[in-house]
Amino acid sequence: MKKIRIAFFDAKDYDIESFNKANTGDTIETSFFETRLTEDTVRLAEGYDAVCVFVNDTVNAKVIDGLVSGGVRLIALRCAGYNNVDIQYAYKKIHVVRVPAYSPYAVAEHAMALLLTSIRRIHKAYNRTKDFNFSLNGLTGFDLHGKTIGVVGTGKIGRIFIDICRGFRMNVIAYDKYPAKDSGITYVSLEELWEKSDIISFHCPLTDENRYMVKKDTINQMKKGVVIINTSRGALIESHALLEGIKERKIGAACLDVYEEESDVFFHDFSGHIVEDDTLARLISMPNVIVTSHQAFLTNEALQNIADTTLENVASYFEKDCCSNEICYRCEKLPQCTQEHLSKCF
Ligand code: NAD
């Protein structure tokens, strides 16, 4: 039987390890490319049945045309978010599948890890004690107990994050474009969330509508000293406005696992190089900003689930006539796609 050939882009050592471990059958053949998928690299996919891409690969109209003309029939995202794919353009040209949930715990726990690190100055203390500096000056934090946290997006990750926050006896308020009925979550308007929250954490997808939901005028509505956590997508926040808010002491701290211009820097080693992005460099230089490079998903459990589900998605697409994890632009228009995915989206 002819094997299904998948070309992986932006493949890292941990991807190769987890996919090799999961690919125990003899129907799928994998090739791993270190380079990202872009208009310049799309020709590498020629002759493959599917490409497997991650958050910073470019899947715009030109890339889709290149994939289709190279004979590729499936784009398998090894992530949940698909804002980097022009799914409207892809419709009726090439199918798209994703991994809708691989470990919401990984991301929610990372968000809390960033928050605790930031407000208890663990990043500062770690460096000090490594240098045998046992001074406590400048390390004063604050209790989470009793503070109000505003959660934007109450899907799989947001809800787990809410549970974690409740464990700290925080007062949780939330905003979601499609509030969950009977969830016991206290929903408020975005304006109220900006005004009342001591801490704000983002867990919604990036869409055209909410790009830059944090910008100068929304920052002005927030409390002085607010802590912002973003483990969702970078472009929810206008980075320059965030930097200005920090310089003006309006924003007390920022915990960023994502950054709007991350695709050129994240996942690469730039130590020993000059980073061209002045906003990112200035943010990183701030004592009250913590940046991790889109690391929230990175746990053993998540990697295993990503590999298992991606391989199942590919096998299901080529061997059956449907894939429950297919997405198209029509699915995106609804909070929960009402199609039962008993057949392909088109
Ligand atoms: P989900 O689909 O389960 O939940 C998303 C929630 O956001 C839904 O309740 C939806 O109604 C809500 N929403 C949609 N549009 C909104 C808007 N404009 N304003 C407010 N809420 C809106 O998704 P999830 O699994 O919880 O993931 C959330 C996001 O986390 C993903 O879209 C992705 O961007 C990000 N993510 C990041 C990492 C990482 O490693 N940093 C990993 C996985 C996911």
Side-chain angles (χ1 to χ4, degrees), residues 80-81 83 98 100-102 104 107 152-158 175-178 202-207 209-210 213 231-233 257-258 294-298 335-336:
N83 54 287
R98 66 171 180 148
Y102 36 88
V107 183
V152 181
T154 57
K156 292 176 284 296
I157 297 170
Y175 169 79
D176 195 298
K177 195 174 169 197
Y178 309 101
F202 292 91
H203 301 287
C204 59
L206 172 67
T207 63
E209 178 194 20
N210 66 11
M213 70 195 303
T231 56
S232 189
R233 285 292 181 266
D257 186 53
V258 287
H294 210 130
Q295 179 192 332
F297 75 99
L298 195 63
Q336 292 289 318

Side-chain angles (χ1 to χ4, degrees), residues 254-320:
C255 306
L256 309 174
D257 186 53
V258 287
Y259 173 67
E260 61 172 315
E261 300 295 339
E262 70 178 50
S263 61
D264 289 336
V265 280
F266 280 16
F267 308 144
H268 299 283
D269 182 358
F270 280 100
S271 54
H273 294 260
I274 292 167
V275 170
E276 301 287 341
D277 185 330
D278 287 351
T279 306
L280 178 63
R282 187 76 173 101
L283 281 169
I284 288 174
S285 77
M286 293 286 181
N288 51 354
V289 175
I290 298 179
V291 174
T292 51
S293 44
H294 210 130
Q295 179 192 332
F297 75 99
L298 195 63
T299 65
N300 291 328
E301 292 81 358
L303 287 174
Q304 188 184 328
N305 290 338
I306 288 171
D308 289 343
T309 307
T310 303
L311 295 175
E312 276 164 32
N313 285 345
V314 172
S316 171
Y317 173 83
F318 285 101
E319 289 168 0
K320 299 177 194 161

Side-chain angles (χ1 to χ4, degrees), residues 37-232:
L37 178 62
T38 64
E39 291 166 26
D40 295 330
T41 63
V42 66
R43 64 190 185 284
L44 288 170
E46 206 174 304
Y48 284 89
D49 301 298
V51 289
C52 182
V53 299
F54 197 50
V55 293
N56 288 328
D57 290 293
T58 305
V59 196
N60 59 19
K62 278 193 178 159
V63 170
I64 289 169
D65 286 342
L67 292 173
V68 173
S69 66
V72 177
R73 289 160 57 201
L74 181 68
I75 297 165
L77 289 157
R78 55 180 189 278
C79 53
Y82 47 89
N83 54 287
N84 55 331
V85 181
D86 189 337
I87 52 167
Q88 179 129 22
Y89 190 76
Y91 191 66
K92 301 225 165 154
K93 295 185 185 73
I94 190 164
H95 292 262
V96 183
V97 293
R98 66 171 180 148
V99 183
Y102 36 88
S103 173
Y105 304 100
V107 183
E109 289 170 14
H110 191 80
M112 182 48 85
L114 286 174
L115 175 60
L116 286 171
T117 302
S118 170
I119 65 156
R120 301 309 304 269
R121 314 281 191 261
I122 305 294
H123 54 308
K124 296 273 158 203
Y126 175 82
N127 285 333
R128 279 192 198 179
T129 54
K130 277 274 172 205
D131 206 23
F132 300 100
N133 173 355
F134 301 106
S135 154
L136 292 183
N137 287 333
L139 298 186
T140 310
F142 64 82
D143 294 1
L144 287 181
H145 180 271
K147 295 294 181 304
T148 296
I149 185 150
V151 176
V152 181
T154 57
K156 292 176 284 296
I157 297 170
R159 288 208 207 184
I160 292 165
F161 185 71
I162 288 173
D163 284 346
I164 295 172
C165 293
R166 285 180 175 151
F168 281 83
R169 300 286 183 269
M170 300 177 80
N171 169 37
V172 180
I173 56 175
Y175 169 79
D176 195 298
K177 195 174 169 197
Y178 309 101
K181 291 190 189 90
D182 307 323
S183 59
I185 296 170
T186 307
Y187 285 103
V188 296
S189 67
L190 257 186
E191 291 69 30
E192 197 175 339
L193 187 139
W194 301 145
E195 273 169 32
K196 290 194 170 158
S197 302
D198 300 300
I199 300 151
I200 300 172
S201 191
F202 292 91
H203 301 287
C204 59
L206 172 67
T207 63
D208 288 342
E209 178 194 20
N210 66 11
R211 181 173 298 269
Y212 290 164
M213 70 195 303
V214 175
K215 50 185 187 277
K216 192 175 172 30
D217 69 314
T218 45
I219 291 172
N220 285 342
Q221 295 170 53
M222 294 176 192
K223 276 190 178 178
K224 185 171 164 53
V226 63
V227 178
I228 293 181
I229 310 164
N230 190 4
T231 56
S232 189

